[in-house]
Amino acid sequence: MKTRLWPAIYQLVLTLAVFLVFTFPFIWMLMASFKTQVQVLSTDHIFLFKPTFKNYIEVFRDNDYLRYLLNSFLVALGSTAFALILGLPAAYSIAKFRMHTLGTVILVAKMIPGITFLVPWYILFTKLHMVDTFTVLIVSHMVIGLPFIMWVMIPFFEAFPVEVEESSWIDGSSKFRAFMSIVLPVSVPGIVTAALLSFIFSWNNFMFSLILAGERTKTLPIAVFNFISASNINWGALMAAACVITLPVMIMALFSQKYIVSGLSAGAVKG
């Protein structure tokens, strides 16, 4: 009995320790969002304090954070959608025609830091008078998300049985119809995983929005700087804004957890 009990206790303690290490920053951020500036900076009010909603009122009422939230949703959804529209057929073609050289090029493109494109983009879009538009932000985020989606989806399409597609062709389906009605439904776990990770990249992106966005198209990571000045940092409001940034992504990840786990595990086996 003891020989079975001790390993279980060890695993439980280890799991709790890892859980606390990874979740404590978020827990501290959440608690700090309901504290005053004095409470945040005081070691006497780490866990015991009187909650206040003043920070969230300041975020949404005084700083128009709802508009920045909608801007981030628009850019992240737009860039992810266009990256999927272009990336899924491209990944399927590379997988089925065994274009390994092109696959290597895509992998290299994925590894190149996004900041490499930033200066040429800024010069180009400035001359086109397109800075501070949603089009520029969506395109710039899509260029980075597109290679990632293709890189994730190629193993899924490579492992798809050719016989299933050939049988649908014999039944009269076109290649495009077979791709849409047979291949894509089977690849849903991989598609959800790639789409969510691409969405998170766009949602959290700071550098592109800092250079290419303006007051009209400002996104959440840039809006956070409203609470930082040269002489002071409004920690309570800053933590409330950080919670607003984190919460939508966490909700999406929780609801799509089943697809993410199966997508990552399947991609690891097939790759």
Side-chain angles (χ1 to χ4, degrees):
M1 183 68 180
K2 291 183 179 180
T3 57
R4 296 181 179 180
L5 184 61
W6 283 113
I9 294 176
Y10 173 76
Q11 292 178 5
L12 178 61
V13 172
L14 185 62
T15 301
L16 289 175
V18 173
F19 176 78
L20 289 175
V21 168
F22 282 97
T23 59
F24 179 76
F26 177 76
I27 294 173
W28 185 89
M29 178 181 69
L30 183 62
M31 291 191 301
S33 68
F34 293 100
K35 294 180 181 180
T36 63
Q37 183 81 346
V38 175
Q39 291 172 337
V40 173
L41 300 177
S42 173
T43 57
D44 298 329
H45 300 88
I46 296 179
F47 296 104
L48 299 177
F49 59 93
K50 183 179 179 181
T52 177
F53 289 93
K54 179 182 176 182
N55 297 321
Y56 287 93
I57 294 174
E58 183 176 354
V59 165
F60 285 102
R61 188 185 66 185
D62 300 339
N63 288 274
D64 199 14
Y65 232 67
L66 182 60
R67 178 166 64 88
Y68 304 140
L69 185 68
L70 293 175
N71 288 349
S72 289
F73 265 116
L74 178 61
V75 173
L77 286 174
S79 62
T80 302
F82 283 112
L84 287 173
I85 292 172
L86 297 175
L88 293 178
Y92 177 77
S93 300
I94 293 172
K96 291 305 175 183
F97 293 102
R98 305 295 178 180
M99 294 184 284
H100 299 296
T101 302
L102 184 56
T104 304
V105 172
I106 292 171
L107 179 60
V108 172
K110 177 184 174 294
M111 297 172 62
I112 296 176
I115 195 173
T116 307
F117 307 100
L118 197 54
V119 173
W121 277 346
Y122 180 75
I123 295 173
L124 174 64
F125 291 133
T126 299
K127 292 184 178 296
L128 295 175
H129 304 287
M130 293 179 63
V131 174
D132 192 18
T133 63
F134 290 109
T135 302
V136 166
L137 293 177
I138 290 174
V139 169
S140 61
H141 289 200
M142 183 193 71
V143 169
I144 303 301
L146 180 60
F148 178 81
I149 288 176
M150 295 173 64
W151 179 70
V152 171
M153 291 308 302
I154 287 174
F156 279 87
F157 295 142
E158 284 180 338
F160 192 85
V162 180
E163 294 79 10
V164 177
E165 296 178 84
E166 291 177 345
S167 64
S168 67
W169 299 342
I170 294 173
D171 292 336
S173 295
S174 64
K175 292 185 178 181
F176 177 76
R177 184 177 178 182
F179 172 71
M180 296 296 294
S181 61
I182 298 177
V183 179
L184 289 186
V186 176
S187 305
V188 165
I191 295 173
V192 172
T193 303
L196 182 61
L197 295 177
S198 178
F199 182 94
I200 292 174
F201 158 78
S202 178
W203 183 266
N204 294 331
N205 187 273
F206 171 78
M207 187 62 66
F208 292 168
S209 298
L210 178 65
I211 303 300
L212 299 175
E215 188 60 34
R216 188 176 66 89
T217 57
K218 184 184 294 186
T219 56
L220 287 174
I222 307 302
V224 167
F225 275 81
N226 292 348
F227 309 107
I228 301 176
S229 64
S231 59
N232 183 45
I233 298 177
N234 188 344
W235 286 108
L238 183 62
M239 294 299 101
C243 288
V244 172
I245 296 176
T246 307
L247 188 60
V249 174
M250 289 187 63
I251 293 174
M252 291 179 60
L254 288 174
F255 276 101
S256 56
Q257 181 180 8
K258 177 181 69 174
Y259 294 103
I260 295 174
V261 173
S262 59
L264 289 176
S265 59
V269 173
K270 295 173 184 176

